[in-house]
Every structure is written in structure tokens, then in C-alpha cells.
Amino acid sequence: MAPLYAPSLRSRLAPLLLFLQIGFIVIFAFYTEIESHVKVDRTTFSNLYAEFQDVNVMVVLGFGFLCTFLVRYGFSGSGFNLLVAVIATQWGIILNGIESWYYRGKIRIDFKSLVVAEMCAASALIAMGAMLGKTNPVHLIIIALLEVSGFVLNQWLLQTLLKVRLLNSIMLLHIFGAFFGIMLTWNLHRNGSKQRFEKEKFDSKSGLFSMLGTVFLWMFWPSFNSVLVDDHSLGRKLGAVCSTYLALAVSAVTAAAVSVLSNPKGKFNLIHMQSCILAGGVAVGVSMSAVHLPWEAMTIGFIAAVVSTIGFRYLKVHMQLAFQCHDTCAVLSTHGLPGLLGWLAQLFLQIRDSDDHTVAIRFAVFHISALLITIALSLCMGIITGLLLKWNFWRPPQDKKCFDDQAFWEFPHLAVRK
């Protein structure tokens, strides 16, 4: 029988957070500076700030509310999301600025560096979704640090070895985060997950809050995909926004249809809807540089929603039974499969639009190499992180304390009075 209370994290979590935050403050004090000498007019500043805020809303509110679908894990889903996001963003700024520090002696901070760091944090939040409810905050902080480190290393390898552009390397965050999370949950498999966890369920209230997170993500996803598009050509940025919106619209309609068709009673499934309607945005984001026509984006959104919904319906159970991968938020179906579909669409569209066969073959080789490096590095980092988190020093929660806020949060009205 499990003990009444979960292990206290006072001696683990507080020192870790204070050590990290003081370390970040010291690094920012001596090695960073704000890029203030760049001349930016009022209109340009307003546009840049608006795009930064859109990404910020997605990371904090979108992912935060999305993680509240578990009936007894709402405090942790939203609270830990914010904690992981802010730590991962600070760590991302530092890691992405290492090259600037090496050549200039300072890490330059501007809107672009903040946005790139928040996208790195989004990759960590995707990986966290696979482990949602089965870890404690100490685990989540370690996951965030190592996942962001691996993702930044992956960017550097792709940009250095294969000359991949920043936009294309960043948008692989869906694939990297999903496979990192899958490998992590495979390493940290619990025997209790063979049967459904006792508290792994949702109700109307938690489902409504979670759907609110989906709405935030759906509304701001065009900004997320277009924020790093070259702004010297307004047509490209407008094309990215329109393509993302159309793909999201098509995926929302398609996910609703497939959800009803796959239900024996012909009813909508809220969990299917809130995750799979985002599949079009994921797929188009990965293939953004090759999508030029509206129908291409709509087709990608349609296929992505079908693949994501079917994967959510059937793949999650089979992954758990066959490979012992208990993927709480089904990040493989929500981010992994649509990301792979977007990668495949980009490969097909680039080869179709190329007039030179030699150039097309060279692109295919480099494109396939980029995917293999990304998946290999994400799996390796997932294994390393999983092995580190198996150490009982981090005091993992017992099976009966999984998906339960009371293991970590104070509930005065439920306190035992003596």
C-alpha cells in the first residue's frame, strides 16, 4: 500500500531552483547585453513586440491550459508549465548566445533571441507532455535543461554541417520534442501504466480549461510559424500566415469528421478535438519554406489531421502495450507524426519545384540527413535523461500519487486537523 503522503521535495527542488536562478543572474550580469544600438522605428518595434507576445501567449497560456485536462492535475499542469517555460527560456538565451559570446564577448539579447529561446522552451514543453503527471518538478527541470541543450546542439549541427537555415532547423522542434519525450517515457516506464492509472481521467471542467489552451494555440499559431520568416519580403511572411491559418482551419474540420467516424456511437471526442485540430499548424510549420500555394497548405492540413486523429485513437494504446511507452498527452500523434508529414511534404514539394535533377538529389540527401540527425540526437538525449532520472535521489512519486496535485500543492481545505 502506498504511503499517505508523497516524498517531500524541500531538500531537492528549492536548492536546485535557487542554484539555477542565481547562476542565470550571474551569467546575465557579466556576459549579456541588450541590443540597444539598433535603430528601430516605432512601427517596427510594435510589430516585433506583437509577434513576441503571440509566441509568449502560446508558450505560457496555450501549453499551460492544454495540460490541465487531467481531473486532479490542473494546478500542476499549468503551474509546472510556467516554471519549465521560464527556466528553459533563460537557458535557451544563454545557449543560443554562446557563438555571440565567443566572437563578441557578450550575449546579445533582442526580440529574435527571445523568440528563438521561447521556441526552444516549446520543444521542452512538448517533451514534458509525454511525461505529464508521472514526474515531480525536479524531474521536469532536469528534462527542460537537457532537452533544450540537445535541441540547441541539434540546431548548431544542422546549421554548421548541412547549412540548414534557422527557420527550418527551429521548426524541427516538434519532431525533436516528440521523440525525446517518447524515449524518455520508454526509459521511465512504470508497471502501473500497464493498466490505466487510477487518476488518469478528465471531466467536463478540466476538459473545458484544456480546450481553452487549444483555442489560444490555434489562434496564435500563424504568428508562431511566421515570426522567423524573413521580413524583408512581406509576401513571404503573409504567405506563411495565410498558409498556417488555412491548414489549421482544414485540420479542425477534418479532425472533427474523423473523430465522429472513429467513435462507435458517432460522437465527438474532446481530447481528439483539442489536440488534433493543431496538426495542420505543426505540419505546415515544418514544411513552411516549400509551401507557396493555398491548396498545398490545405492538403497538408487535411492529411495531418487524419493521421493525427487516427494515431491518437489507436496508436497511443498500441505504443503502451507493444513498446511500454505511456505517452500521457500523445505527443507522438499531436507533434511527431504531423512533423514527419511536414518534413515529407517539404521534400516532395522541393523536388517537384526543382528543374535541376542534381540539385534535387543533393537537397534530398541533405534533407534526409537533417531528419536522421534530429531523430538520432533526440533519442540519444532522451536515453541519457531517462537514465539520469532513474536515480531515486530525485524522489519520484509513487504510482498512486501520479496525476495528483496533492502530492505537490497545498490544499488548506483538505488539511488533516489534529
Side-chain angles (χ1 to χ4, degrees), residues 36-254:
S36 58
H37 67 275
V38 179
K39 294 182 179 179
V40 180
D41 57 56
R42 186 183 299 273
T43 303
T44 304
F45 178 86
S46 299
N47 293 336
L48 292 174
Y49 183 72
E51 291 179 334
F52 162 71
Q53 275 294 75
D54 289 350
V55 176
N56 205 24
V57 168
M58 284 187 64
V59 172
V60 177
L61 287 180
F63 283 104
F65 280 117
L66 187 64
C67 293
T68 61
F69 69 95
L70 295 165
V71 65
R72 300 186 64 175
Y73 206 69
F75 282 23
S76 301
S78 57
F80 295 161
N81 177 88
L82 177 60
L83 181 63
V84 169
V86 294
I87 289 179
T89 300
Q90 293 177 77
W91 185 232
I93 292 173
I94 295 171
L95 293 181
N96 285 312
I98 288 179
E99 185 176 0
S100 173
W101 169 80
Y102 181 79
Y103 289 107
R104 302 180 183 179
K106 291 288 186 179
I107 297 173
R108 303 294 176 87
I109 300 177
D110 54 13
F111 277 124
K112 184 177 180 180
S113 64
L114 288 176
V115 168
V116 171
E118 285 211 308
M119 288 185 165
C120 295
S123 179
L125 294 176
I126 291 171
M128 187 185 84
M131 296 297 299
L132 188 68
K134 299 172 291 183
T135 54
N136 62 38
V138 178
H139 289 144
L140 296 180
I141 299 303
I142 296 173
I143 291 171
L145 295 175
L146 293 178
E147 202 279 345
V148 171
S149 301
F151 183 65
V152 172
L153 175 61
N154 184 68
Q155 286 184 71
W156 181 82
L157 290 175
L158 296 184
Q159 294 175 27
T160 304
L161 300 180
L162 303 179
K163 306 301 179 183
V164 177
R165 291 184 296 176
L166 174 64
L167 174 64
N168 293 338
S169 62
I170 281 285
M171 284 305 166
L172 291 174
L173 65 92
H174 304 284
I175 297 175
F176 190 96
F179 281 93
F180 182 98
I182 288 297
M183 185 54 63
L184 193 60
T185 190
W186 177 73
N187 265 280
L188 300 177
H189 176 74
R190 291 170 173 265
N191 292 327
S193 63
K194 293 179 181 179
Q195 302 290 333
R196 186 178 177 87
F197 279 101
E198 177 186 359
K199 301 169 186 175
E200 189 186 0
K201 53 188 177 182
F202 71 98
D203 61 6
S204 58
K205 186 177 180 179
S206 62
L208 181 61
F209 274 102
S210 184
M211 194 64 191
L212 181 61
T214 300
V215 171
F216 277 117
L217 290 171
W218 198 94
M219 289 173 59
F220 292 104
W221 210 288
S223 296
F224 188 82
N225 282 351
S226 64
V227 65
L228 294 179
V229 174
D230 185 10
D231 56 359
H232 295 295
S233 174
L234 292 178
R236 289 190 60 195
K237 189 174 284 287
L238 177 62
V241 171
C242 293
S243 297
T244 304
Y245 178 82
L246 290 173
L248 286 168
V250 172
S251 64
V253 175
T254 308

Side-chain angles (χ1 to χ4, degrees), residues 191-377:
N191 292 327
S193 63
K194 293 179 181 179
Q195 302 290 333
R196 186 178 177 87
F197 279 101
E198 177 186 359
K199 301 169 186 175
E200 189 186 0
K201 53 188 177 182
F202 71 98
D203 61 6
S204 58
K205 186 177 180 179
S206 62
L208 181 61
F209 274 102
S210 184
M211 194 64 191
L212 181 61
T214 300
V215 171
F216 277 117
L217 290 171
W218 198 94
M219 289 173 59
F220 292 104
W221 210 288
S223 296
F224 188 82
N225 282 351
S226 64
V227 65
L228 294 179
V229 174
D230 185 10
D231 56 359
H232 295 295
S233 174
L234 292 178
R236 289 190 60 195
K237 189 174 284 287
L238 177 62
V241 171
C242 293
S243 297
T244 304
Y245 178 82
L246 290 173
L248 286 168
V250 172
S251 64
V253 175
T254 308
V258 178
S259 178
V260 171
L261 287 174
S262 61
N263 190 291
K265 297 181 179 180
K267 295 184 178 181
F268 292 104
N269 185 300
L270 181 65
I271 303 299
H272 291 177
M273 292 292 295
Q274 70 180 27
S275 298
C276 301
I277 63 176
L278 304 173
V282 174
V284 166
V286 177
S287 59
M288 182 60 64
S289 60
V291 176
H292 304 296
L293 299 174
W295 71 266
E296 295 172 348
M298 297 172 76
T299 303
I300 293 173
F302 179 87
I303 300 174
V306 172
V307 171
S308 179
T309 309
I310 293 177
F312 206 108
R313 181 75 180 179
Y314 303 107
L315 185 60
K316 179 179 178 179
V317 177
H318 291 294
M319 288 288 291
Q320 182 173 337
L321 295 177
F323 302 104
Q324 295 185 336
C325 292
H326 182 262
D327 184 1
T328 304
C329 294
V331 296
L332 183 61
S333 301
T334 306
H335 296 274
L337 295 182
L340 291 175
L341 175 66
W343 173 88
L344 185 62
Q346 183 182 12
L347 176 62
F348 173 78
L349 292 174
Q350 289 281 15
I351 292 177
R352 186 202 64 181
D353 296 337
S354 178
D355 297 328
D356 190 335
H357 294 294
T358 303
V359 174
I361 294 174
R362 183 176 299 176
F363 172 80
V365 171
F366 276 72
H367 197 58
I368 294 171
S369 299
L371 178 68
L372 294 178
I373 291 174
T374 300
I375 293 179
L377 188 57

